[in-house]
Amino acid sequence: MATKAINKNGVITVYNGVPKTLYSSSGTYLNAQAMSETALRNAGLFDVVYPEGYNSAIDDLSEIFWDSANSVFTYTKSDKTWTQSLEEMKTNKISNLKSNANSKLAETDWYVIRKDDDGTAVPADITTARAAVRTAVGTKETEINALTEKSAVVLYDINLD
Amino acid sequence: MALTKVTAAVLNDDAVSYDKLGNEFTTAAAIAASAVDFSTAQVFTKTLAADTTLTFSNVSTGMVKDLVITGSHALVLPASVKVISGTYDGTVSNLIQIAATNGSTEQWATISKQAT
């Protein structure tokens, strides 16, 4: 569903798709979702285009504005800033990584507990998978510690699936 | 001597019956194209066959008119209309009540739809 926007008397309103009722400076459009794209544009409702490469995790957006050259509403993007230091962000990222690993290992902890209880061997594939999780954590922790940009820390994928 | 006011001898208090009201208060009219003349009927009806932009005329402060509209197309109300509540649903009949609070400058609309 494309994001749309309209300028009514100098105030730009952004919609997630076409609203049922569209308030325009030329009138109120009831059942606007039945209108064609051309009719919507004639009413003043146009697409909202995000800047190329925009990532909400690491970019901030300007106020929305009208791009007359392309007949769309758009924004400019700027680098997001963080109050935490790079080291603090790495520490938090690694903490989250280990939390993920803990959750992942918890799924198969019962195999290990059973082995302790009654000596039933842990299946080889489970042992391999648990070792892989621990190896992945070690690898990712090293990679995180090697990062030099805050944005890179934010974007670093700590998914273990 | 010319009459300057309606006296009880001419028209008693509480004596204006429904039958005595003009057509603009008692009749329903189909909107032929898109023009809604407030001086001609109380209720205006239309089944939309295409996107339709209504125009209002002869609107005076205090008038309240009823639009009964159906049809799955867009219905555009004049910029002077402020919608208070309700959402148009083209799959059923909609009662759009227009109250004029400042002549042709300002009207308020409430939209109610038929229960299904």
Side-chain angles (χ1 to χ4, degrees), chain A residues 7-82:
Chain A
N7 183 339
K8 182 186 178 188
N9 301 326
V11 178
I12 298 174
T13 303
V14 178
Y15 296 99
N16 186 21
V18 178
K20 287 184 177 177
T21 302
L22 175 63
Y23 301 97
S24 157
S25 52
S26 61
T28 301
Y29 293 72
L30 307 181
N31 204 26
Q33 292 176 344
M35 296 167 70
S36 67
E37 279 296 320
T38 300
L40 289 169
R41 282 194 291 273
N42 289 339
L45 189 72
F46 290 85
D47 287 337
V48 174
V49 175
Y50 289 90
E52 190 163 345
Y54 168 70
N55 184 327
S56 61
I58 59 171
D59 296 318
D60 284 328
L61 290 175
S62 68
E63 292 291 320
I64 192 168
F65 63 91
W66 173 245
D67 176 359
S68 57
N70 297 300
S71 295
V72 295
F73 289 98
T74 189
Y75 308 85
T76 55
K77 66 172 183 174
S78 58
D79 292 339
K80 190 172 276 190
T81 58
W82 294 270

